[in-house]
DNA sequence: CGTTTTAATGCAAACGTTTGCCCTAATAAA
DNA sequence: TTTATTAGGGCAAACGTTTGCATTAAAACG
């Protein structure tokens, strides 16, 4: 195995101490009053010898790893992977590396992953928390470790959170369907008590309430395979004969929902108007194109990184709990346009 | 800041040496003949004290980081993100963590990222190489570092590669279009000399050759925004009036292509049959559903990890260069069915 | 009873950095 | 001429492990 050159090797070759080399290489020559001449020599030698610092040793000594641990629900989910992409871009500019892992929204898995990150001494945590990890998150806070939660959070914990306005997103989507003349609207959501889901439910319910309609909600268990989801949705539709609109609370529920509606030979939007939560690159290519509540991926990522960097540079624990709420954007496409409007398919 | 307990702390408390503690904690008690009694004591104490090893220190001493660096073209691309997902799953079972980064298929970026990984002392590299990084890859090989290339590779380099049979994939797709009666078929591909692309081109050309047709190829420059891509494709179609079939060499080219064809008001597949390379969860929901050459994501990931682990456990440099070629699967949907077949839309 | 073996453990170096403190010579101040 | 200062840099500990090489006491051997 090849051998990398160390700071000591440089020191020996140049007859200086490794301290001097270290100072120079860290740009502290001035501050430490190393002569300009030495500085040149050392820099030149290091460059020519292809010196590369050993980050591991550096980490051991400084306690900083220049690494961030990021926990998402599923890195293959387009929402999370596009956030990961943006976060990575910003992180690399700031000279940070990222460990990603998928939690599958599972408590045990998430707990284990947090442990792994701790062992690896990551400098900061970016987490889309799964249910039941309040204690672990609290422990991170207690240990003064920088943590940002995103997409959802625990209302009781003093964390820094970055989320979208789920209530309004769902409210607007529901209002839009109502305004388009769909009166009997159902909500297909996850059987989850997580805040992002209950907010969406509340937003939907609020809009229904305004019209004096009572909500009809289908809650799908987590980790159900797509066919089963479609099956449940079919049943839901059959059991609500007069339902002529559906709001889907997540990306993949909408996908399964489309399947279900198609297989019932209902026409969208003639027979049923639909809106999905969380936009998708492909929704515009579906036929009909699917209306969706778009999340500002780039802003979310930027806020996450901004808040994380703030937490990391703050004098330990100085960063206050806070929740950044970003607006969603309703992207109106064909799937939610009432027949009367379809004469002008300008969208 | 809180302070984690170290092996020395345990040793002190228990009046043993840190060596003993280390042995016990690493399961070498037997081998090092630590008495069963001591073993119990130490294990019990460590557990109760919540001891967690410092991976950084461990890495420094052993030279192993239990970390893998993975370079993909774009983590937000569903193909790469789903591979990342599988790889992560296997890796975590093997107790490895993963750094992912997106190269954007850019030489400079990739070079920089490889440097970052080297500095971080990753134990192995999984790379979807961008053009122009032959030297860096060769350098990794020279330094006996475990490297697996996937999706594409450099035919000249003695690396371990995991790819799909791009030639046959494209050949079968082209044959399928021909067999469905589409005679004048174009290929929309990337302006890239990378092996996966040239293989797809060759497969397409071979099928055309069998029928005595001459290929018509549109090469799209890298990193062109979707609208521009669509524009070029429109032009391509206009300039080839008799063209009635198109094979798209990548996922996102197909997406832009659909846009282009729609805006020209051509009907798929009546006016034009199409097939995309690389399947997508949503292709089945498009209207018409899009035929695609599916890549075996799971197998790719498994092979990648298998080969990587083999490289890592081999006595340095013992792992021979090899190229694992996995078959693709043509998923036939409506977009490639000639009118005559559409009477039986059984697919 | 002297000599080997073996069982059970300890010592301390090493991994490559960073950093608080020390040292020496020369210059400036008094 | 003393005494402070300053410039320029070196020493060595420390970060938390792992591991080659002792070391010691008891047991086994001859």
């Amino acid at each position: 195995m090849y051998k990398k050159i160390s700071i000591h090797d440089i020191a020996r070759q140049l007859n200086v101490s490794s301290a001097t080399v270290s100072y120079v290489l860290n740009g502290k020559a001035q501050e430490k009053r190393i002569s300009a001449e030495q500085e040149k020599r050392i820099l030149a030698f290091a460059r020519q010898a292809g010196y590369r610092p050993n980050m591991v040793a550096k980490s051991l000594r400084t306690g900083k790893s220049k690494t961030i641990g990021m926990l998402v629900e599923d890195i293959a989910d387009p929402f999370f992977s596009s956030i990961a992409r943006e976060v990575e871009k910003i992180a690399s500019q700031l000279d940070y590396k990222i460990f990603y892992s998928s939690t599958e929204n599972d408590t045990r898995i998430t707990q284990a992953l947090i442990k792994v990150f701790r062992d690896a001494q990551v400098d900061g945590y970016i987490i889309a928390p799964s249910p039941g990890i309040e204690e672990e998150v609290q422990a991170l806070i207690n240990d003064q470790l920088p943590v940002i939660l995103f997409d959802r959070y625990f209302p009781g914990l003093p964390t820094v959170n970055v989320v979208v306005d789920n209530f309004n997103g769902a409210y607007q989507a529901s209002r839009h369907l109502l305004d388009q003349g769909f009166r009997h609207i159902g909500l297909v959501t996850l059987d989850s008590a997580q805040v992002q889901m209950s907010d969406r439910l509340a937003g939907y319910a609020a809009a229904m309430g305004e019209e004096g309609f009572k909500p009809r909600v289908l809650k799908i268990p987590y980790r159900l395979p797509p066919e089963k989801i479609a099956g449940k949705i079919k049943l839901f539709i059959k059991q609500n004969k007069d339902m002529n609109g559906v709001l889907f609370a997540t990306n993949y529920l909408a996908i399964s929902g489309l399947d279900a509606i198609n297989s019932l030979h209902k026409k969208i939007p003639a027979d049923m108007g639909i809106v999905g939560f969380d936009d998708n690159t492909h929704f515009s290519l579906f036929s009909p194109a699917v209306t969706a509540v778009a999340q500002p991926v780039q802003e979310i990522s930027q806020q996450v990184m901004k808040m994380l960097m703030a937490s990391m540079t703050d004098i330990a624990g100085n960063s206050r709990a806070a929740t950044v709420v970003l607006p969603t954007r309703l992207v109106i496409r064909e799937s939610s346009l009432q027949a009367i409007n379809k004469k002008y398919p300008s969208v």
Side-chain angles (χ1 to χ4, degrees), chain A:
Chain A
M1 185 68 77
Y2 77 112
K3 190 78 186 70
K4 279 180 53 179
I5 175 181
S6 86
I7 219 173
H8 290 294
D9 300 327
I10 299 184
R12 204 172 314 114
Q13 300 282 326
L14 262 37
N15 270 315
V16 296
S17 85
S18 47
T20 304
V21 177
S22 174
Y23 291 137
V24 168
L25 260 26
N26 287 298
K28 299 189 184 168
Q30 210 74 22
E31 171 188 344
K32 287 295 178 177
R33 319 194 264 215
I34 308 299
S35 65
E37 166 187 30
Q38 287 285 26
E39 190 180 358
K40 298 289 165 242
R41 276 179 75 213
I42 294 174
L43 248 25
F45 187 93
R47 187 142 320 160
Q48 164 269 329
Y51 169 77
R52 301 249 88 206
N54 182 320
M55 294 310 275
V56 175
K58 219 165 183 150
S59 293
L60 179 58
R61 178 57 222 236
T62 64
K64 294 289 156 205
S65 62
K66 282 292 185 180
T67 291
I68 293 167
M70 180 161 177
L71 254 27
V72 298
E73 188 168 321
D74 180 356
I75 190 69
D77 179 302
F79 172 67
F80 288 111
S81 68
S82 52
I83 290 199
R85 180 79 171 81
E86 295 293 329
V87 164
E88 174 208 323
K89 205 176 290 179
I90 303 173
S92 91
Q93 280 166 9
L94 297 169
D95 208 28
Y96 278 89
K97 303 171 288 296
I98 304 227
F99 285 128
Y100 302 102
S101 273
S102 303
T103 65
E104 300 176 22
N105 218 36
D106 178 282
T107 307
R108 308 269 168 220
I109 295 181
T110 311
Q111 289 169 337
L113 288 173
I114 290 181
K115 232 170 222 169
V116 170
F117 283 169
R118 270 189 174 248
D119 291 352
Q121 331 265 136
V122 304
D123 293 340
Y125 298 74
I126 298 174
I127 306 180
S130 23
I133 61 157
E134 289 87 343
E135 278 185 31
E136 282 74 14
V137 171
Q138 181 66 59
L140 292 175
I141 306 278
N142 291 347
D143 292 345
Q144 311 269 34
L145 296 169
V147 183
I148 309 292
L149 303 187
F150 77 102
D151 191 54
R152 46 208 111 149
Y153 60 98
F154 300 111
L157 294 187
T159 49
V160 176
N161 314 307
V162 177
V163 295
V164 297
D165 191 340
N166 287 294
F167 180 94
N168 261 305
Y171 173 79
Q172 285 163 18
S174 306
R175 272 274 31 130
H176 166 67
L177 281 170
L178 289 167
D179 293 347
Q180 289 293 317
F182 301 99
R183 311 306 285 170
H184 305 295
I185 303 174
L187 172 70
V188 176
T189 183
L190 290 174
D191 188 6
S192 156
Q194 289 185 287
V195 66
Q196 81 280 22
M197 288 304 154
S198 59
D199 282 359
R200 290 174 197 181
L201 172 55
Y204 156 80
M208 292 301 108
E210 286 182 358
E211 302 286 332
F213 297 146
K214 82 168 213 290
R216 348 179 148 194
V217 179
L218 171 64
K219 296 192 174 191
I220 306 280
Y222 256 104
R223 278 181 287 281
L224 213 58
E227 325 82 65
K228 300 250 181 188
I229 296 179
K232 292 214 175 250
I233 295 176
K234 270 166 87 166
L235 202 62
F236 180 56
I237 293 175
K238 281 188 193 161
Q239 288 172 342
N240 289 272
K241 291 290 181 201
D242 58 340
M243 191 164 65
N244 63 354
V246 183
L247 171 61
F248 294 98
T250 85
N251 205 313
Y252 61 92
L253 289 178
I255 301 285
S256 290
L258 288 176
D259 246 359
I261 295 172
N262 285 338
S263 74
L264 287 174
H265 300 99
K266 297 225 176 223
K267 293 297 170 211
I268 301 174
D271 301 336
M272 182 145 331
I274 75 165
V275 176
F277 208 104
D278 196 6
D279 197 17
N280 185 291
T281 336
H282 298 151
F283 275 177
S284 63
L285 290 165
F286 285 10
S287 182
V290 177
T291 297
V293 179
Q295 304 201 44
V297 168
Q298 197 162 332
E299 275 189 59
I300 294 174
S301 314
Q302 286 167 353
Q303 286 295 326
V304 163
M305 283 305 288
K306 181 178 151 196
M307 303 306 273
L308 183 61
M309 288 302 145
S311 294
M312 302 208 314
T313 54
D314 267 5
I315 6 285
N318 205 5
S319 75
R320 305 264 351 102
T323 298
V324 177
V325 179
L326 269 15
T328 58
R329 192 168 46 87
L330 182 65
V331 180
I332 299 174
R333 302 200 184 90
E334 303 163 23
S335 72
S336 61
L337 299 181
Q338 185 60 297
I340 190 171
N341 298 53
K342 290 207 68 188
K343 285 183 282 188
Y344 319 102
S346 57
V347 185

